[in-house]
Amino acid sequence: MKASSPLPIGQLLGRMLRSFRRDLYRRAQDAGYHDIREAHLQVFGAIDWGGTRLTELAARANMTRPSMIELVDELQDMGYLERRPDPSDGRAKLIRLTHKGRRILAEALRAVEDIERGYAEAVGAEHFDAFVATLQALLDAQSEDWRSSAKGD
């Protein structure tokens, strides 16, 4: 069987991300988290264990602030998140995981490890590790470029 020609990088990344999210969402459903929607993965994938400001969540998820507010409100109503004053700025709020939120995030992290093991088995651990290292190097290089351009270099 002849190997297919590689797709452009944007299509590859987009399709893999959609496939990854579908798999992760299916696992959440299988684990009994029937109240969450696939869109809620955007929040769980962007939040820090100690809490994150709403604007930062939206930026990390590449979403508008109003869209992120909707997701956070839903997850807060379901008991996964809470809003607390930010200790570094009393005017700001941190979006924080509740005990229930920490539990689902811990299960999601284990599911991600399982998904990654499946990827490594599919292509070989060496190829998968090189792929991850390459993506990380590309992101690191872009971060350096963005920092330099922000300084006016």
Side-chain angles (χ1 to χ4, degrees), residues 3 8-9 22 24 33 45 59-60 62 76 85-86 94 113 120 132 137 141 150 152-153:
I9 188 72
R22 273 193 311 269
L24 189 57
Y33 293 100
R60 289 177 183 177
N62 197 28
Q76 184 174 357
D86 185 338
L94 280 180
E113 288 175 355
V132 170
D153 291 349

Side-chain angles (χ1 to χ4, degrees), residues 72-112:
V72 167
D73 287 347
E74 290 173 1
L75 288 168
Q76 184 174 357
D77 290 346
M78 291 185 279
Y80 291 104
L81 301 176
E82 62 185 0
R83 287 176 168 91
R84 293 285 178 111
D86 185 338
S88 67
D89 180 355
R91 300 167 299 171
K93 297 281 187 196
L94 280 180
I95 310 303
R96 295 183 44 131
L97 296 161
T98 62
H99 178 71
K100 182 179 178 181
R102 287 177 184 265
R103 191 171 62 241
I104 192 174
L105 187 56
E107 288 186 40
L109 292 172
R110 285 190 295 275
V112 167

Side-chain angles (χ1 to χ4, degrees), residues 8-107:
I9 188 72
Q11 288 185 32
L12 290 170
L13 292 171
R15 288 181 185 189
M16 280 305 302
L17 181 59
R18 283 190 298 278
S19 173
F20 171 82
R21 285 187 177 152
R22 273 193 311 269
D23 192 4
L24 189 57
Y25 180 68
R26 181 189 50 77
R27 290 165 188 258
Q29 295 292 294
D30 291 348
Y33 293 100
H34 302 290
D35 54 347
I36 67 165
R37 298 186 297 125
E38 191 171 343
H40 293 138
L41 298 178
Q42 296 278 29
V43 179
F44 291 118
I47 197 165
D48 293 326
W49 199 252
T52 309
R53 288 186 183 181
L54 186 88
T55 52
E56 181 64 20
L57 282 176
R60 289 177 183 177
N62 197 28
M63 296 177 67
T64 64
R65 192 173 182 278
S67 295
M68 183 56 75
I69 288 171
E70 179 183 332
L71 295 176
V72 167
D73 287 347
E74 290 173 1
L75 288 168
Q76 184 174 357
D77 290 346
M78 291 185 279
Y80 291 104
L81 301 176
E82 62 185 0
R83 287 176 168 91
R84 293 285 178 111
D86 185 338
S88 67
D89 180 355
R91 300 167 299 171
K93 297 281 187 196
L94 280 180
I95 310 303
R96 295 183 44 131
L97 296 161
T98 62
H99 178 71
K100 182 179 178 181
R102 287 177 184 265
R103 191 171 62 241
I104 192 174
L105 187 56
E107 288 186 40

